[in-house]
Structure formats: C-alpha cells, structure tokens
Amino acid sequence: AQNIRVDQLRSHLANEAKLVAEGILPHFLDSRANSRLDATAKTMGKRIEARVTIIAPDGTVLGDTWEDPATMENHSTRPEVLAALSSDIGESTRYSTTVRQNMMYVAVPVSSQGKLLGIARVALSLAEVEKAANNLFLAVIRSMAVASLAVILAVALIARMITRPLRQITKATQKIASGQLDQEIHLRTNDEMGQLGHAFNEMAASLREMMTAVSDEKSKLATVLSSITDGVIMTDLGGNIMLANPAAERLFHFNESKVNGQPLIEVIRDHEIDGILKSCLRTSREQTAQVELQMTKRFLRVIAIPIAAVKLKGALILFQDLTEMRNLQTMRREFVGNISHELRTPLAGIKAIVETLKDGAIDDKEVARDFLNNIDVEVDGMTQMVAELLELSRIETGRVKLNLEPVDINEVVEEAISRLKPQAARQQVALLTDLSKDMPPVQVDKERIRQVIINLVHNAVKFTPQGGKVTVYTGSQKDSVIVSVSDTGIGISSEDLSHIFERFFKADKSRSSSGTGLGLAIARHTVQAHGGSIWAQSEEGKGSTFSFSLPVTQSLLKSHPSI
Ligand code: ADP
C-alpha cells in the first residue's frame, strides 16, 4: 500500500512539475518577468501545497517556495536535476540539506523551441507523505477495528441467540432425564431453533403420555397381582426372584422388597418347589405338582410356566393354596361316613327293640313303655340330624327365611330344656337353669332359636360325663339378651376352640358317638342372621361355656312391656 501510495504521489508530483513548467515558461521568455520567478515559485507552491523550485540550466536557483534562492547552493548536481537535464523527467527521494528532511523530488526541464530555459522542480516532504500514509493506515486500522468489533459483537449476539435456546433445551433435557417430565420450552422464534423447541415440546409430551401409559399398565398389573389370592413369583433364568405378589409373601412369610434378586430356594426354602422351577427352566415346559409345605403344613398346587419373551426370560410360578379345599373334602368324606353311622346305629337299635317287642315283650306293659321311650329318643336324634342336614342345605343354597315374632327368650329356653331332660337324665347329668327375671322381648324366629339352644344344650350334655351338670343362664345387657350354656364336661383345647364353629368340624375325630359337626355351624349362622353373635370359652377337662347374644328391638320394648 505504501508503494502504491508513493507511485501515485510520484506521478502526481510529475504532473504538478509539468504544470509548473508550463506555468513558468512565459516568465522565462519575458526577461522582465525573470525577476518574478521566486514570487511565482512561492505562490504556486502555496497553491499546490508543495515546494516548488525553479532552477536555471547552470544550477542557479531562481525561485523557491520555502527558501530564499539567494542563500541556496547551486543545484546542478542534484540527482533529479541531472536526470531532468539528460532526459525528460528526473526524480529523487533523499535528504534535503536545505530544509533538512526527507523529500521526494520530481524535476522537469522548461524548454522552448528546443532550447533549455531552466528546470521546474516540485517536492514534497516525505514526512508529510508518511504522515498522510500513516493517517490513512491508522484510519484503515481504526475502521477495521471498528468493523471487527462490530463483527465480534454481531457474532456474539448471534451466538447468544443460538446458544440461549440450546442451553434451555439442554437444561430441559437433563431434567427429563432425571425424571421431571413436565418440561416445556418457550422459544419465540420461528426459525430452526423455534422448530427444534417445538419438536422438543412434542417429544416431551409424547414421552409424558408414554410414561403415563406405562405407569397405568404397571398399576393395573400391581392391582391384579395384589388382588389375586394365588401366590405369584417370577424368576429369571438363574432362578432368582424378580417379582412376588402379596399372596406369595403371606404363603412363605417373606418381605417382597427384600427378596428381589435372591435365589428362590433361599427365600422359600423348599427343595421340592425349587426342583419344579429348575425342571421348568431346563425343559422350557410347564410343570405342575402338589406340594405340602413342611413348615406351615399348607397344601399347594405349584405350577411353573416358562417365560420366553424377547427381553424377559425365566419362569412364572403360581401357588394355589388347596389346604382349605382339601380339608373341606376330607370333612365331607368324614361327614358322609358319620351320617351313615349315625343313621345305622339308631336304626339298628330300633330294629332290635321292635324285634324284642314282637318276641313277646309287648305284653309286659312296663317293659313295652320303656322300649317305646327308647324308640322315641332314637327317632328324635334322627329327626334332629335330618333337620340339621336340611338346614345346612338351606344355608348353602342361601334359602333361609326368618319367621320373626316377639319372643320371651326364657320361654324358649324352658321348651328346649324339657326336650333334653330325658337324655340328660339317662346320662345322669344334671340339667339346671338360672334365668333372669326381667328379660326384654326379642324379635326372632322362635323355631330356629329354640333349635340353637337345643344344639348347645345337647352338646353340653353329650360332652359331660356322668355326675356332671349343665346350666343354662339368661341375662340382658343394654340392648341385647344373652343365653349361656355352661357345662362341667371334657372341654375343648384352645387350638380346636378357634375351629369349633366351622362346618363338619369335630374336635375328636375318633369319637364315634358324636354327631355331624354341623350343629355349631348352623347355630352361628342362625344367630348371625338375627344380628347377634355367638362365642365359646372352654378349659380342657373342666368344661365349656357357649353363649350367644340377640339384639333387643327397641320398638318391641314399648309395644310389649308385659313380656
Ligand atoms: P356335633 O354334631 O359333632 O356335636 P357341633 O358343631 O355341634 O357338631 O360341634 C362340633 C364339635 O365341637 C363337636 O364335635 C365337639 O368336638 C365340640 N364341642 C361342641 N360343644 C362342646 C362342649 N360343650 N364340650 C366339648 N366339646 C364340644
């Protein structure tokens, strides 16, 4: 740039020099004007803002813009002057001894009709040139700096504009990754960033939807798993537990949260079940077996099903608790056996009595009455059993209708006692009553409540050895009446006591004399149907007390104050 400048300056000076040469030519031709050459050099120099020097062909300085020509030395040896003399133009850049600074000189000859009249020289201080160049350079630098600053600012601004939404998106993405799915970003632009933000929001929304769907499915599965009564355990291919439901927890007494990842055998400690799982995993076939747990004596059907999903491989083990069913089946089997026995014994007795009567005993009036009484008792027992069977079938088919009427419970107790007096007498068991005087009336099915009392007293007599006694108490509380049957009999173990009201339950299975195991189940059902409750206390070897309560109907108290 400096060189170009210098070249431009040089040709500029050359032009000026030529113009000056042309301008001063008349002064040379007119000898009178010769003396004015110095003044001309001064005015011209001022006009073109350069130093103009006019030199005679012999080197004498005739005029100069900056100096007095009289004081100036001969210029004939100046390189630009020499060059101008020999050619058309001379130039030189050098230190001026006259003005003591670096100057650029351009000199041209002033001639007329081939005769050299003088030399016109134009000069510029290089410092000036440099200053101008420097100024230009500085200006360029400055404007470049301003431009760069503007560019940098613009870039920074654009970068900010681009990165701000990016940062926003990054932040939101990180939050989503950490599980906060409710992220939404708001970019007010419609460019690519805006589109990215929009796409991000859509992605977040569909992620939310998916997660909701997944957690819905999960909670559905959890609900199903926790509500089914069968135990469910899922294991991986190595037999380690991946999932277990509450029913399984109850069955094997473990805590689901602590068993995940543990081998099945360590959690349930049953080699038979572990064997079923192993063979299911080995053969990839469903395995079924019935297993009795050693610890809890539960009887289970175990079904191991292989799972072969894409990612999920292992086995699903189902545990169906068949204990109740098996117990019920056993009870029913015993029940049928008992009934046959119960019917055969009295029938055989009756048959024998009838035979004896036929064989002549009928003629002995005393004996005959005794025999008939015996037949009566046996028939009563059978009738009782048939009634129980009928009642049971009604309970099981849900066809029980209560025939409610206002009843004095003491009266019902008396009726039951009189029914069982003969049997108690035969077994030499004292049958006593201790009845409260002011019993409120109750609204009950008299027939059925009588049957309940008969059942309890019958049991008490049955399980009380000779010489013992059975007492029936009645009493009333705030809004209920209570009937208790207490005996001094054999009692019931506390283990049996909790099962006493279950159907077909009999404490001593080998005791052939006892009944069907239905009486107490029916009694409980009847009492509960009346809105009351029934319970038993007992001590083995000392006796038992069976009690039940019935609610007192307040309206009855007012309408039947007499009973
Ligand atoms: P069952 O027809 O066998 O008497 P229950 O349901 O009336 O049937 O009684 C069930 C079982 O409860 C009886 O088999 C007996 O073992 C026991 N039990 C009932 N009452 C008494 C009692 N008062 N004393 C001792 N054991 C009793």
Side-chain angles (χ1 to χ4, degrees):
Q2 187 95 0
N3 282 343
I4 296 170
R5 277 284 304 168
V6 170
D7 285 346
Q8 278 176 346
L9 192 70
R10 188 176 295 134
S11 69
H12 176 69
L13 283 182
N15 282 337
E16 306 258 278
K18 279 175 194 153
L19 283 173
V20 168
E22 264 167 48
I24 59 172
L25 184 62
H27 295 295
F28 274 107
L29 294 176
D30 180 359
S31 56
R32 278 173 303 169
N34 219 330
S35 58
R36 288 214 296 271
L37 279 172
D38 185 45
T40 308
K42 287 199 161 57
T43 51
M44 278 189 153
K46 277 204 186 98
R47 205 177 310 142
I48 63 170
E49 289 182 345
R51 179 182 172 197
V52 173
T53 312
I54 301 162
I55 305 158
D58 63 353
T60 312
V61 178
L62 302 175
D64 190 89
T65 313
W66 293 354
E67 303 287 330
D68 178 8
T71 63
M72 289 172 73
E73 56 187 80
N74 189 291
H75 270 47
S76 61
T77 54
R78 297 293 195 269
E80 69 279 2
V81 175
L82 284 174
L85 287 175
S86 55
S87 62
D88 258 359
I89 189 159
E91 47 151 317
S92 163
T93 303
R94 60 185 165 76
Y95 186 76
S96 158
T97 48
T98 319
V99 293
R100 295 190 187 78
Q101 50 181 299
N102 277 322
M103 304 282 289
M104 176 185 267
Y105 301 94
V106 176
V108 291
V110 184
S111 49
S112 172
Q113 289 160 351
K115 185 171 172 272
L116 179 74
L117 300 174
I119 304 286
R121 188 184 74 171
V122 181
L124 258 181
S125 156
L126 269 190
E128 209 96 324
V129 173
E130 271 163 19
K131 208 168 110 197
N134 280 348
N135 280 350
L136 187 75
F137 185 65
L138 276 178
V140 169
I141 294 279
R142 210 175 294 131
S143 57
M144 267 168 67
V146 169
S148 318
L149 211 73
V151 167
I152 288 170
L153 272 175
V155 166
L157 215 73
I158 291 170
R160 248 186 89 78
M161 269 166 61
I162 294 174
T163 54
R164 207 173 55 136
L166 272 182
R167 267 204 305 277
Q168 223 178 319
I169 292 174
T170 309
K171 224 172 172 181
T173 311
Q174 282 164 345
K175 278 192 180 161
I176 284 189
S178 72
Q180 296 166 260
L181 292 182
D182 52 341
Q183 298 304 316
E184 202 165 312
I185 42 183
H186 301 283
L187 302 177
R188 283 174 298 274
T189 52
N190 271 331
D191 56 3
E192 286 82 352
M193 271 302 155
Q195 285 169 12
L196 179 61
H198 193 64
F200 180 90
N201 286 345
E202 275 179 5
M203 183 201 73
S206 68
L207 204 62
R208 271 198 298 277
E209 257 169 49
M210 261 157 62
M211 289 309 281
T212 322
V214 167
S215 74
D216 272 3
E217 288 304 315
K218 229 179 127 182
S219 68
K220 269 189 225 162
L221 185 69
T223 314
V224 170
L225 278 178
S226 62
S227 48
I228 54 177
T229 47
D230 288 356
V232 177
I233 291 180
M234 197 160 96
T235 74
D236 60 15
L237 281 176
N240 302 310
I241 295 179
M242 293 194 290
L243 185 147
N245 75 339
E249 284 179 38
R250 284 193 295 273
L251 216 47
F252 299 105
H253 305 290
F254 61 74
N255 188 336
E256 202 250 319
S257 58
K258 294 200 186 115
V259 301
N260 267 353
Q262 284 195 43
L264 181 78
I265 180 70
E266 279 180 25
V267 174
I268 65 169
R269 304 188 176 280
D270 189 296
H271 286 280
E272 217 176 329
I273 296 175
D274 195 50
I276 297 165
L277 169 68
K278 293 264 162 69
S279 71
C280 168
L281 290 173
R282 196 178 51 242
T283 59
S284 294
R285 290 240 171 76
E286 187 175 316
Q287 306 286 326
T288 308
Q290 297 195 341
V291 173
E292 175 144 20
L293 296 182
Q294 298 306 313
M295 303 280 280
T296 52
K297 297 283 169 225
R298 304 303 292 180
F299 182 70
L300 304 179
R301 177 190 286 140
V302 182
I303 308 167
I305 305 159
I307 314 170
V310 185
K311 282 211 161 166
L312 207 65
K313 287 195 167 56
L316 192 71
I317 319 170
L318 303 180
F319 301 94
Q320 296 173 337
D321 193 342
L322 304 182
T323 318
E324 305 296 331
M325 216 159 78
R326 194 179 65 162
N327 288 351
L328 209 64
Q329 270 170 2
T330 317
M331 280 176 172
R332 267 184 199 277
R333 220 175 291 131
E334 282 174 5
F335 168 68
V336 172
N338 279 355
I339 288 188
S340 322
H341 178 85
E342 295 283 314
L343 287 174
R344 207 182 311 126
T345 313
L347 282 174
I350 292 169
K351 182 80 181 160
I353 294 168
V354 170
E355 294 286 320
T356 318
L357 285 172
K358 268 200 205 159
D359 284 352
I362 197 162
D363 296 327
D364 184 337
K365 264 207 161 178
E366 196 65 20
V367 174
R369 186 175 295 125
D370 220 23
F371 278 176
L372 283 176
N373 267 341
N374 282 352
I375 290 177
D376 197 25
V377 168
E378 299 292 7
V379 169
D380 268 358
M382 285 193 289
T383 309
Q384 158 87 10
M385 187 158 58
V386 170
E388 283 179 6
L389 284 171
L390 265 178
E391 187 72 7
L392 175 75
S393 94
R394 278 205 204 97
I395 289 170
E396 292 204 321
T397 51
R399 281 183 295 125
V400 177
K401 245 192 99 212
L402 297 179
N403 221 340
L404 297 179
E405 53 181 321
V407 166
D408 175 4
I409 206 79
N410 283 347
E411 202 180 285
V412 185
V413 171
E414 299 283 15
E415 286 171 16
I417 292 287
S418 68
R419 279 275 290 277
L420 291 162
K421 267 257 153 70
Q423 191 186 344
R426 242 180 299 136
Q427 282 187 228
Q428 295 177 19
V429 171
L431 190 48
L432 313 167
T433 53
D434 181 355
L435 308 180
S436 166
K437 284 269 153 7
D438 37 26
M439 290 292 282
V442 282
Q443 180 92 343
V444 297
D445 186 322
K446 192 174 177 181
E447 210 53 53
R448 285 203 158 83
I449 292 301
R450 189 198 297 123
Q451 198 55 51
V452 169
I453 298 168
I454 288 173
N455 251 319
L456 295 183
V457 178
H458 183 81
N459 277 346
V461 171
K462 196 159 70 177
F463 296 109
T464 301
Q466 262 187 18
K469 72 177 179 189
V470 172
T471 316
V472 183
Y473 301 90
T474 58
S476 68
Q477 281 183 349
K478 201 169 79 196
D479 43 16
S480 61
V481 298
I482 294 175
V483 179
S484 290
V485 180
S486 202
D487 66 55
T488 57
I490 60 170
I492 306 160
S493 72
S494 58
E495 195 194 322
D496 286 343
L497 201 56
S498 53
H499 297 291
I500 213 87
F501 293 104
E502 290 169 12
R503 349 174 234 176
F504 308 122
F505 183 87
K506 290 165 77 174
D508 183 357
K509 309 246 165 18
S510 62
R511 205 155 54 207
S512 58
S513 68
S514 46
T516 55
L518 285 175
L520 287 179
I522 293 168
R524 180 176 67 161
H525 174 83
T526 308
V527 169
Q528 285 177 347
H530 280 88
S533 57
I534 187 165
W535 64 96
Q537 294 154 295
S538 186
E539 206 176 320
E540 263 189 295
K542 290 215 168 148
S544 320
T545 301
F546 282 80
S547 312
F548 68 89
S549 67
L550 291 169
V552 171
T553 320
Q554 295 302 321
S555 58
L556 277 184
L557 275 177
K558 285 169 209 141
S559 52
H560 300 270
S562 54
I563 40 175

